[in-house]
């Protein structure tokens, strides 16, 4: 365990975020997709009035339930969470060439859609940012098992902090309920991981947390590219 990770390992969510903003020069940004983990972090940031900017990526294909919890969150905390959108010209050209649901036709086309709708807007959201806070948890995917609380994304020149990395799904629910935090109603319908509507389904009992993401693809690496380094999900040790 690195010295940086060790110093944060036993801190609760609020304490870790407070320590982060005290010790690391910003700007600090937290990216939310309004899932259960992200709602927990949003609550910790806003209830403590921490100087961390909260942004989201509106892909244009989100569930209506996601917009509902977004609105509830704004009202609950008296904020207007900032949104970043895909380039309209890129979307128009993609649909003209491939059609509106070409994500089902090939892995490359799905990844191209993710790149336009999520990765490129994320690059804009993180422009000039030094610390990026995410809601990743090890339990979500086998590809996240080896991640650390802190990861260096050298391609972006950003240090990532994942305060919920060692939380379980039950830990997350307990925090949500204890603090009466608004959450996406799809979680009550078998959706532990929620992305774009065409790309997400409920999971069956015993399935992996991310089995409902891009379920038609014959691959175990269910990632959209937001957390890839050099083309893959890769922990960077030594922080």
């Amino acid at each position: 365990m690195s010295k940086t990770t060790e110093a944060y390992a036993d801190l609760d969510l609020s304490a870790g975020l407070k320590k982060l903003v005290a010790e690391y020069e910003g700007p600090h940004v937290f990216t939310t997709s309004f899932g259960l983990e992200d709602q927990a972090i949003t609550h910790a940031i806003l209830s403590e009035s921490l100087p961390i900017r909260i942004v989201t990526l509106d892909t244009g294909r989100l569930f209506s339930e996601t917009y509902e919890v977004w609105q509830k969150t704004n009202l609950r905390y008296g904020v207007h969470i900032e949104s970043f959108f895909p380039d309209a010209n890129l979307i128009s050209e993609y649909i003209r060439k491939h059609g509106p649901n070409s994500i089902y036709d090939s892995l490359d086309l799905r990844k191209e859609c993710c790149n336009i709708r999520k990765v490129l807007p994320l690059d804009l959201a993180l422009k000039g940012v030094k610390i990026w806070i995410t809601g990743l948890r090890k339990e979500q995917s086998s590809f996240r098992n080896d991640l650390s609380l802190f990861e260096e994304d050298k391609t972006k020149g950003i240090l990532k902090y994942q305060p919920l990395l060692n939380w379980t799904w039950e830990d997350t629910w307990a925090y949500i309920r204890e603090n009466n935090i608004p959450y996406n109603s799809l979680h009550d319908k078998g959706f532990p991981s929620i992305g774009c509507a065409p790309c997400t389904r409920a999971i069956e009992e015993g399935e992996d947390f991310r089995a409902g993401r891009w379920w038609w693809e014959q691959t175990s690496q269910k990632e959209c590219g937001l957390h890839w380094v050099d083309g893959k999900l890769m922990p960077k040790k030594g922080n």
Side-chain angles (χ1 to χ4, degrees), residues 88-106:
N89 290 327
L90 292 178
I91 290 292
S92 179
E93 179 66 10
Y94 175 88
I95 292 176
R96 185 190 67 78
K97 289 173 61 177
H98 307 295
N101 280 333
S102 55
I103 54 172
Y104 303 119
D105 295 339
S106 75

Side-chain angles (χ1 to χ4, degrees), residues 19-36:
K19 184 177 178 68
L20 183 80
V21 297
E23 293 186 342
Y24 287 90
E25 182 181 357
H28 309 78
V29 165
F30 168 55
T31 51
T32 177
S33 59
F34 302 100
L36 206 68

Side-chain angles (χ1 to χ4, degrees), residues 28-128:
H28 309 78
V29 165
F30 168 55
T31 51
T32 177
S33 59
F34 302 100
L36 206 68
E37 297 84 1
D38 293 340
Q39 288 299 97
I41 296 174
T42 293
H43 173 81
I45 291 171
L46 296 178
S47 63
E48 298 287 348
S49 300
L50 297 177
I52 298 172
R53 182 170 159 226
I54 302 176
V55 304
T56 191
L57 308 178
D58 187 344
T59 65
R61 304 204 74 175
L62 301 179
F63 286 96
S64 61
E65 290 88 347
T66 300
Y67 291 110
E68 288 170 9
V69 73
W70 181 351
Q71 181 70 3
K72 288 179 180 179
T73 302
N74 282 347
L75 294 173
R76 163 74 181 274
Y77 300 99
V79 296
H80 294 283
I81 292 175
E82 185 179 359
S83 56
F84 285 80
F85 300 88
D87 183 284
N89 290 327
L90 292 178
I91 290 292
S92 179
E93 179 66 10
Y94 175 88
I95 292 176
R96 185 190 67 78
K97 289 173 61 177
H98 307 295
N101 280 333
S102 55
I103 54 172
Y104 303 119
D105 295 339
S106 75
L107 179 60
D108 286 342
L109 287 175
R110 192 275 286 176
K111 287 183 176 180
E112 184 179 348
C113 185
C114 285
N115 186 61
I116 294 170
R117 294 183 184 273
K118 301 177 77 172
V119 177
L120 294 179
L122 177 68
D123 288 342
L124 292 176
L126 296 179
K127 188 175 182 179

